[in-house]
Amino acid sequence: MIVWTGCGEGNNSDRARESREEAERRERKESKEAKESREAKEKKAQETLEGKTESAEAWSEEASAETMPSSAAAEMSDDSQFTVMYDMAETYRELILYPPRETMSDEWWKDSYNFELVFIDDDNVPELVVDNSGYWVEVYQYVGSGDARQVFSEGYGTWGRSYSYFKGKDYMTTSAYDYEFMEDGSTLVSYVDDYVPVINDSAGVYSTSYEELYDSDGNVAAQYDARYYLDRNEISKEEFDNALKRLQIADATAAIYVGGGVSRQEMLDELESIMQQAASMQK
């Protein structure tokens, strides 16, 4: 008969001790990794906040009393300014999270959207551009008390269209072209540029169009004089040019292209950083 003298208990004890030591090492390792992960996340959050406050700071600078065009805005206290800033960002976040268009939240569509904060009119509160490139572009204006309204919505059309805006002038310009294919193999190309008011939609739509005829080899066969319109009524070139100068939108190089904004999540993060910035600046 074999008599066990406790070596089995010793082996069990050794294994138990090794298990405890291994568990402690694992716990220390996990604790260290958790700490490093937490510190990394905190660092990233801080960098995100610091890096993404540019829009908030830029808006704050734009909205300073020195640059505000209206006396009512100029009389705003700092607290009321940052309250507007916070509510604007929160309103746009809600619009993106709970959009008026179902496709903005649809899993298949939502990643195709780009978002931008732009200063279309002169009230120094940014508008939100929602761009589904190739399909349509919309502009939303913050109107206060957690509300925003759609002030612009246009499609890209069959052959494509580009959109730009004139900062602080309340006008967007759209450029489009169309093709008409003739039986003899030639092609008539029509070009149209529209200047469209965004916030004050009663200001008048100015348009210019011209056409070029290309032969079957792709060479320009004819060019036709441009025509000019105000609300679809033809006007002279002089009237058109004077109107654009008066509205301060005559310089095409001053138009800022709409497109190439940030993703849905990036805009949500940017708006969140604006809210944090506004909250920290309130007295």
Side-chain angles (χ1 to χ4, degrees):
M1 182 178 69
I2 301 174
V3 179
W4 297 101
T5 59
C7 61
E9 293 179 1
N11 289 339
N12 288 338
S13 178
D14 290 341
R15 284 194 293 270
R17 184 175 64 254
E18 290 172 357
S19 297
R20 285 196 303 270
E21 291 174 350
E22 177 62 26
E24 290 172 357
R25 282 195 298 271
R26 186 165 57 250
E27 185 177 349
R28 286 195 299 270
K29 180 180 179 182
E30 291 174 353
S31 177
K32 181 180 179 182
E33 290 175 349
K35 180 181 179 182
E36 290 175 349
S37 176
R38 185 180 68 255
E39 290 175 347
K41 288 179 180 179
E42 290 173 352
K43 182 180 179 181
K44 183 177 180 181
Q46 183 62 28
E47 289 174 348
T48 299
L49 177 59
E50 292 174 355
K52 290 196 172 182
T53 54
E54 181 178 351
S55 295
E57 291 171 352
W59 183 65
S60 176
E61 183 178 348
E62 289 277 354
S64 66
E66 293 180 359
T67 61
M68 282 188 175
S70 67
S71 57
E75 292 174 1
M76 288 172 62
S77 68
D78 287 345
D79 273 358
S80 61
Q81 172 186 318
F82 295 123
T83 298
V84 169
M85 185 177 175
Y86 184 97
D87 191 53
M88 175 273 300
E90 186 176 45
T91 299
Y92 288 156
R93 272 182 58 84
E94 290 294 305
L95 188 148
I96 294 172
L97 289 170
Y98 308 102
R101 279 181 181 263
E102 291 183 3
T103 54
M104 284 174 65
S105 58
D106 184 270
E107 288 298 322
W108 193 86
W109 278 98
K110 68 179 183 181
D111 290 337
S112 67
Y113 286 88
N114 290 313
F115 301 85
E116 294 180 79
L117 292 177
V118 300
F119 293 90
I120 292 178
D121 65 355
D122 61 357
D123 68 356
N124 296 304
V125 178
E127 285 72 46
L128 176 68
V129 174
V130 181
D131 178 34
N132 188 3
S133 187
Y135 294 92
W136 51 264
V137 60
E138 291 182 342
V139 178
Y140 291 87
Q141 178 198 26
Y142 168 73
V143 294
S145 302
D147 193 19
R149 70 184 181 109
Q150 182 191 99
V151 291
F152 184 87
S153 179
E154 291 287 346
Y156 276 90
T158 303
W159 300 105
R161 184 184 294 261
S162 65
Y163 295 94
S164 303
Y165 70 96
F166 293 89
K167 184 178 179 181
K169 306 305 179 186
D170 193 23
Y171 264 83
M172 292 185 69
T173 177
T174 72
S175 298
Y177 53 90
D178 196 9
Y179 294 93
E180 185 177 351
F181 302 101
M182 308 299 185
E183 292 183 359
D184 62 0
S186 62
T187 304
L188 182 67
V189 183
S190 302
Y191 303 88
V192 178
D193 291 326
D194 292 326
Y195 297 80
V196 183
V198 179
I199 310 301
N200 179 18
D201 56 9
S202 64
V205 176
Y206 292 87
S207 305
T208 178
S209 66
Y210 68 97
E211 296 174 329
E212 291 181 332
L213 182 66
Y214 292 81
D215 62 25
S216 57
D217 294 325
N219 301 312
V220 177
Q223 290 181 314
Y224 302 96
D225 292 338
R227 305 179 74 172
Y228 305 90
Y229 304 88
L230 168 58
D231 295 331
R232 297 187 178 183
N233 298 312
E234 191 165 1
I235 59 177
S236 69
K237 182 180 186 305
E238 182 180 7
E239 290 174 312
F240 179 84
D241 290 343
N242 289 338
L244 265 56
K245 290 178 182 177
R246 175 175 51 81
L247 295 166
Q248 299 180 14
I249 57 175
D251 182 8
T253 62
I256 303 172
Y257 175 70
V258 170
V262 300
S263 69
R264 180 177 184 270
Q265 188 57 54
E266 287 173 320
M267 179 53 67
L268 290 173
D269 292 344
E270 184 173 344
L271 292 169
E272 178 66 27
S273 72
I274 291 175
M275 292 168 63
Q276 294 179 15
Q277 169 99 357
S280 68
M281 287 181 174
Q282 285 182 318
K283 295 178 181 178

